Amino acid sequence: MDGLFVHGVIEVINTMDTTAHGLGYRLYVVREGAVPLAGNIMTGSFFPLTVAVMALLFLGMAAGLYVFACMQYRRRIVELTGQPPKLPAGFRLKRLKETAREIEYELTGENI
């Protein structure tokens, strides 16, 4: 049945091409397989490598932004107290934020 259908389609296309050519037009038919549009993207080695590189870049940027935020809060604590944080907060962003807020609250409470 498929062969008959394909043969019928080819006959229709040939008839249309002949008719269009007689009128001064050209008929272009793009058949499947003639223009491969990313048909084998998942099986090639380029796609998994690209996804891996993108994931590594994302994780690297996220880690860099986290460390940058921690460093900002550590600098803020040093600005407020004049010395490094007493508690070993390390790179725990939540603890650094709490420490900076507590110090700011203590300083503003004393000024009022």
Side-chain angles (χ1 to χ4, degrees):
M1 183 69 176
D2 287 336
L4 182 62
F5 177 73
V6 170
H7 179 71
V9 169
I10 291 173
E11 287 298 318
V12 169
I13 289 173
N14 288 338
T15 305
M16 288 172 44
D17 190 29
T18 305
T19 306
H21 186 63
L23 296 174
Y25 296 103
R26 290 186 181 166
L27 180 65
Y28 294 101
V29 178
V30 178
R31 291 186 173 83
E32 185 178 345
V35 181
L37 301 173
N40 61 352
I41 193 166
M42 297 299 279
T43 59
S45 64
F46 181 71
F47 182 72
L49 181 64
T50 304
V51 170
V53 168
M54 287 175 54
L56 285 174
L57 284 173
F58 176 74
L59 289 174
M61 287 179 62
L65 290 173
Y66 183 82
V67 169
F68 183 72
C70 288
M71 295 304 290
Q72 280 186 327
Y73 277 103
R74 290 178 73 83
R75 275 191 225 120
R76 181 69 180 150
I77 292 170
V78 170
E79 285 176 5
L80 293 173
T81 61
Q83 56 189 355
K86 295 176 185 174
L87 298 173
F91 286 97
R92 286 182 274 170
L93 186 59
K94 185 176 179 181
R95 183 65 187 139
L96 288 169
K97 283 182 180 180
E98 289 174 2
T99 304
R101 279 192 211 125
E102 289 172 4
I103 293 170
E104 288 173 351
Y105 180 74
E106 290 172 6
L107 291 176
T108 54
E110 292 173 4
N111 291 336
I112 296 178

